[in-house]
Amino acid sequence: MTRLATFVSLLLAAGCAQTDIPVPDRAPGAPSKADEAGFTIEGLRRWYLIGNPLTPGDDSLEVSIESAEPVEVIDLWLDRQFAARGHASGGRVEIVVDIGSLATGEHEILLAADGAEFAFAQRFFRRSHPLYVVVSNDWDDPDNDDATLERQERLHARHPSLLLTHFVGPYTFTDSSVSAARRDFLVDWVTGLRDSEGDEIGLHIHPYCNFIDTTGVECRTEPSTVYDAGDETGYTVMCSAYSEQEFTDILLAADAVFEENGLGKPTSFRAGGWTAELGTLRALAAAGYLADGSALNWARLEEWEGQQNGVLYQWNREHWASIGDTSQPYYPSDSDILLASEPSVPVLEVPDNGILVDYVTGDEMIEIFDANWDRETPLAQPLVYSIGYHPPNFISEYRVRITEALTHAEQFLASQGAGPVVYATMSEMAEVWPRPQ
């Protein structure tokens, strides 16, 4: 007999142990606190996830009980319905219950020994869909100095479950101020985090002319989100200044640059200044992208109202009018970027609801997290909390802000059975929200 077969046989024998104690026909009464004395209970969690194509569900409830006094059996009642019986072996009882079909909400467990009228223990747990925390960084500049890179490595070290989506700019490879050796170093750094930490490499485009000029598309110098007279570098020019076909060509050129330099094909995107429109999204779809993070919680950008030429704030306020603290992923209508209706553009819009630390304080980031979830109610569907930063601005003040936000979220990590929080990357959200068929 194989080891596995022997193990299964032992389990069956234990589960079928003979006892004269019948299963009661109704649930036991709730215990007093004193009733649990003499029992040690291990393995129960406060939160169990409901799974989806990205995140496996916590579909098995496992509990181990040790009794100071001899017992034959312990019954587990789930929501006042008999769920399982465990037989004692060496003073320990192991019980496993399949909860894969259990609904969202709070559930009660009662544990009773030897068919007792009253349970010796009562526990409650919550079954919930995940709350995804998506953390990204936007490479606005062609280079990020070593100190900036080290700070991001320390962020990973301090938050071991963290996943980052690095929105890398293709201009790293077309700006003459960045040496070939430096480009290789940056590639090694970001691919190293992808391979060791599970980070994602996405694409970020501010349409710098040094990059656009390599794509076969004529570089625009206006409209600029900062300068009335335009921007000769192209940096502050809106992505929406380019037609759908032009932007498709730009994306395919960026993909080629990424592939040539070992970054792989990006499948997530954020427009510089969040300046994506429907043509931009259609171009993303044509180029094989899965997710976009350009929809902006514009009201949290209030510091930019009236700044420079005022366009950055005004354009985002008008273009992303309905996006706010609690906006969630959707497939935009082919006729209205703010509507979720068919026919839709086959690119998942993941709103930047927590925006970037440059524009929100730590308290504001926590406020947005709490607006999406009240810290206790099980979620009836998955949710996303999206935050991020610009690497060159990731200085002490901004590091404190994001650390406050992450520390707050990590009180509720699903991996610790403490809540529904799961770190994820931007493209992974398309697995959670597949396009309607």
Side-chain angles (χ1 to χ4, degrees):
M1 183 179 290
T2 66
R3 290 180 61 190
L4 177 59
T6 302
F7 179 63
V8 171
S9 295
L10 290 172
L11 283 179
L12 290 172
C16 297
Q18 295 297 315
T19 178
D20 294 330
I21 302 171
V23 175
D25 58 6
R26 62 179 180 178
S32 68
K33 289 183 179 180
D35 291 333
E36 196 169 320
F39 293 92
T40 301
I41 302 169
E42 297 177 340
L44 291 177
R45 307 172 64 175
R46 292 187 293 123
W47 290 80
Y48 292 81
L49 285 185
I50 296 173
N52 58 52
L54 174 66
T55 305
D58 300 319
D59 294 338
S60 182
L61 185 152
E62 302 179 12
V63 58
S64 177
I65 307 114
E66 288 190 5
S67 174
E69 299 294 331
V71 299
E72 286 188 47
V73 297
I74 292 177
D75 294 330
L76 186 150
W77 298 76
L78 182 55
D79 296 333
R80 303 297 171 115
Q81 300 294 315
F82 177 76
R85 167 168 282 187
H87 296 262
S89 175
R92 178 182 288 269
V93 176
E94 307 281 351
I95 300 176
V96 179
V97 178
D98 183 350
I99 59 171
S101 60
L102 204 59
T104 301
E106 185 175 71
H107 300 276
E108 178 198 47
I109 291 172
L110 291 172
L111 295 170
D114 295 339
E117 183 180 356
F118 288 92
F120 64 81
Q122 181 184 44
R123 294 285 192 276
F124 294 92
F125 68 90
R126 295 175 173 90
R127 189 146 162 83
S128 174
H129 288 273
L131 170 55
Y132 290 104
V133 174
V134 175
V135 184
S136 59
N137 55 67
D138 293 4
W139 288 35
D140 280 20
D141 302 290
D143 193 4
N144 298 312
D145 64 32
D146 288 354
T148 293
L149 304 181
E150 290 166 4
R151 292 184 194 113
Q152 294 177 85
E153 292 168 6
R154 290 199 296 271
L155 187 69
H156 257 305
R158 291 169 181 164
H159 303 277
S161 299
L162 175 65
L163 295 173
L164 292 173
T165 299
H166 304 268
F167 284 123
V168 176
Y171 24 85
T172 290
F173 306 97
T174 59
D175 191 311
S176 60
S177 69
V178 183
S179 69
R182 183 63 183 175
R183 292 169 191 163
D184 290 344
F185 179 84
L186 292 170
V187 166
D188 288 345
W189 181 83
V190 74
T191 57
L193 288 182
R194 177 196 63 193
D195 298 341
S196 65
E197 302 290 347
D199 289 357
E200 178 182 2
I201 300 174
L203 175 67
H204 187 53
I205 290 182
H206 281 273
Y208 284 98
C209 288
N210 65 60
F211 165 62
I212 300 298
D213 286 342
T214 70
T215 69
V217 175
E218 182 181 355
C219 188
R220 307 280 196 278
T221 59
E222 58 182 7
S224 165
T225 58
V226 175
Y227 308 111
D228 284 335
D231 183 349
E232 292 187 357
T233 71
Y235 168 52
T236 63
V237 172
M238 298 180 184
C239 288
S240 59
Y242 293 88
S243 71
E244 178 180 337
Q245 184 57 59
E246 287 174 327
F247 210 76
T248 301
D249 292 343
I250 289 167
L251 291 170
L252 294 175
D255 287 358
V257 168
F258 273 40
E259 295 281 7
E260 180 182 347
N261 287 277
L263 297 178
K265 166 72 173 81
T267 55
S268 64
F269 175 80
R270 177 173 292 138
W274 304 277
T275 56
E277 47 89 43
L278 275 173
T280 315
L281 299 189
R282 294 190 193 105
L284 288 169
Y289 283 74
L290 301 176
D292 174 63
S294 302
L296 176 64
N297 182 1
W298 58 271
R300 297 285 181 169
L301 195 69
E302 74 278 8
E303 295 93 336
W304 272 82
E305 185 172 12
Q307 296 298 309
Q308 305 289 348
N309 64 356
V311 171
L312 180 66
Y313 179 82
Q314 184 66 26
W315 189 92
N316 278 285
R317 182 174 70 177
E318 294 174 359
H319 191 71
W320 299 116
S322 62
I323 303 300
D325 289 357
T326 60
S327 294
Q328 291 298 309
Y330 66 101
Y331 285 91
S333 163
D334 193 54
S335 60
D336 189 331
I337 201 167
L338 293 173
L339 291 181
S341 63
E342 296 297 325
S344 64
V345 180
V347 173
L348 183 69
E349 188 60 54
V350 183
D352 197 10
N353 54 12
I355 70 170
L356 308 183
V357 294
D358 313 50
Y359 313 107
V360 285
T361 65
D363 286 343
E364 284 182 289
M365 296 173 86
I366 291 171
E367 178 184 326
I368 295 169
F369 179 94
D370 290 347
N372 282 279
W373 180 55
D374 64 7
R375 309 190 199 182
E376 62 177 64
T377 304
L379 299 174
Q381 63 277 320
L383 295 178
V384 174
Y385 170 64
S386 176
I387 58 176
Y389 57 90
H390 292 101
N393 295 345
F394 202 49
I395 54 178
S396 56
E397 178 185 355
Y398 294 156
R399 290 205 316 277
V400 168
R401 292 179 183 182
I402 203 161
T403 296
E404 289 174 346
L406 297 183
T407 300
H408 179 72
E410 287 177 354
Q411 298 176 84
F412 312 105
L413 281 175
S415 60
Q416 299 176 3
V421 168
V422 176
Y423 282 115
T425 64
M426 186 68 72
S427 288
E428 287 177 332
M429 294 301 90
E431 297 182 50
V432 182
W433 282 270
R435 190 187 180 204
Q437 297 300 315

